[in-house]
Amino acid sequence: SSGPTGGQSSGNASGTRADDSHMQWWRDARYGMFIHWGLYSIAGGEWKGKDYGKEQGGASAEWLMNSAKISGEEYRSTLAPQFNPTEFDAKQWVSIAKDAGMKYIVITSKHHDGFCLFDTEATDYNVMDATPFKRDIIKELSEECAKQDLRFGVYYSQFKDWYHRSRGRQNPGTMSNEEYLELVEKNLDELLSNYGDMAVLWFDVGGNDVIEANAQGARVRELQPDAVICSRLYSRRVPEDQRKYADFESLPDRMLPTERMTQDSETCMTMRHNWGYDRTDDAWKSPKDIIEFLALCGARGVNLLLNVGPTPEGTLLPEEIERLQAVGKWMEVNGESIYGTTSSPVDFDFWWGAMTQKDQTVYLHVLEWKPEGIEFNGIVGKPTKAYFLADPNRESLPLSYDADGHVTKIEVPPTAPDLRNTVIAVQYDA
Ligand code: JFZ
């Protein structure tokens, strides 16, 4: 149980395994890279001169086929021959994720548009057979992750596919349910058999058919018992206690968690508005925003899966790289306050920010500097030493306590050492 000092309990899927030891790396990792890449990246949110980038609640880059009501035939015949991202370099992408401090990568192996970024026998609508590129993107990335010691996983849209007869509303495809389920089954077997260790199976937009979802979950357990399975295998309408194979709860997209989670959870977040590459989307979040997401997700016990939307050429955008590097530099110094930590000991934020914790230390993520001092309470024990995590000498900051010893005040210099997030480590005696 979480108890008075916070911490996390397991997800609800341990019943399908002997234990939940497969979750430990994921809990410790805290920070991963999401990649939305596919045929839609070529269009970049535009179709026949119209910009769809900000439609559909903003999810239009990878939703283009649906938003622009493009037929399956036209979508494929227009975009697949153009898919030739010759600048794609798995080694570079994985290095960028690693330098950013990320511990795992999840890439769209098939999104709602049905296009497979991997070699598959189940359909010729894939990168090897339908495009001039003819390189197995999932293979190159999975091998590179293994080399650079990052965990690798795939997003797979198991329910929603616009080529299916009834699983896409605006643009009903022709595939029957039987054909579709067979395709998914084959695809999953290939993804789970041909690419080494699959760390994460990131299912999305699940349906209400629990039997169908459970069969897919069971197959994952069978072929990759240690893979971590996303709760979106099931629709939100499936009661939580019936989501047998959901290892972690995927929280609503692009929103900070508002409360401390007691079950394994993850927030996925964009760097701007859209997931897939969009030519006109300029709603960039700042490096400070992202560092704050990391801190606040951590304080609520939630992983952050931060998205990039690579270009048709196969590159990450300079704006993305710049942000990833900035956060990576911060993580180099302050990673101890994120990796392997659990949620804040208290349910609330402070006026200056929020806390994470590990062993006998709490980490104060000071997002708003207060020269008059940083006050906090809620830890079970007496603080003995406070220091800036960025200070290699760990010089003690002066501490004082109020009359009943509940509130601790840390004296700080007038200006913030790091305006984005200065972390103060506070050790305490239990
Ligand atoms: C889905 C996709 O439709 C979208 O294109 C993107 O891949 C995103 C990561 O996931 O969209 C969703 C799914 C679930 C919610 C919101 C958007 N939700 O539960 O709030």
Side-chain angles (χ1 to χ4, degrees), residues 257-258 296 299-300 344 346-355 367:
T258 50
L296 295 174
R300 289 153 177 75
S344 172
V346 292
D347 256 325
F348 46 86
D349 290 346
F350 296 93
W351 40 263
W352 45 260
M355 301 195 278
L367 307 173

Side-chain angles (χ1 to χ4, degrees), residues 36-45 61-62 75 79 83 276-279 309-312:
H36 274 71
W37 202 34
L39 293 185
Y40 44 81
S41 308
I42 297 167
E62 73 282 0
Y75 184 85
L79 295 176
F83 189 79
Y277 174 66
D278 185 282
R279 286 173 207 287
T311 66

Side-chain angles (χ1 to χ4, degrees), residues 15 19 42 63 91 159 161 166 176 183 187 191 222 237 257 260 293 311 382 387 396:
D19 59 39
I42 297 167
W63 272 73
K91 188 172 171 190
F159 179 76
D161 187 309
S166 59
S176 73
L183 169 85
N187 275 176
L191 288 168
E222 197 182 325
R237 273 162 300 208
R260 194 164 53 147
F293 293 149
T311 66
K382 190 177 165 68
Y387 59 94
S396 293

Side-chain angles (χ1 to χ4, degrees), residues 36 38-56 58-72 74-76 78-79 82 111-113 162-163 170-171 274-280:
H36 274 71
L39 293 185
Y40 44 81
S41 308
I42 297 167
E46 281 170 33
W47 192 255
K48 298 187 173 159
K50 187 169 173 322
D51 182 1
Y52 290 87
K54 291 188 171 62
E55 303 216 343
Q56 284 287 333
S60 206
E62 73 282 0
W63 272 73
L64 183 81
M65 181 177 169
N66 185 274
S67 330
K69 300 189 172 62
I70 309 164
S71 76
E74 190 185 6
Y75 184 85
R76 173 179 170 163
T78 308
L79 295 176
Q82 292 182 60
H111 206 269
H112 311 333
D113 69 352
W162 295 316
Y163 284 85
Q170 256 137 297
N171 189 0
N274 288 283
W275 298 96
Y277 174 66
D278 185 282
R279 286 173 207 287
T280 57

Side-chain angles (χ1 to χ4, degrees), residues 34 36 59-60 62-63 108 111-112 155 160 162 202 204-205 232 236 250-255 268 275-276 307:
F34 211 1
H36 274 71
S60 206
E62 73 282 0
W63 272 73
T108 49
H111 206 269
H112 311 333
Y155 169 110
K160 193 183 270 303
W162 295 316
W202 218 99
D204 194 12
V205 198
R232 294 187 189 188
R236 274 179 194 284
S250 175
L251 302 175
D253 306 17
R254 295 181 292 184
M255 278 168 56
C268 53
W275 298 96
N307 182 70

Side-chain angles (χ1 to χ4, degrees), residues 323-381:
R323 281 159 180 76
L324 292 170
Q325 285 174 343
V327 179
K329 288 218 175 84
W330 182 87
M331 283 292 260
E332 240 169 65
V333 175
N334 297 290
E336 183 190 321
S337 68
I338 301 287
Y339 304 125
T341 60
T342 54
S343 59
S344 172
V346 292
D347 256 325
F348 46 86
D349 290 346
F350 296 93
W351 40 263
W352 45 260
M355 301 195 278
T356 55
Q357 60 175 323
K358 181 164 49 189
D359 304 326
Q360 295 294 104
T361 304
V362 285
Y363 301 96
L364 278 50
H365 295 263
V366 185
L367 307 173
E368 254 182 83
W369 198 247
K370 299 286 168 184
E372 54 276 24
I374 309 295
E375 286 185 345
F376 69 97
N377 63 344
I379 64 173
V380 184

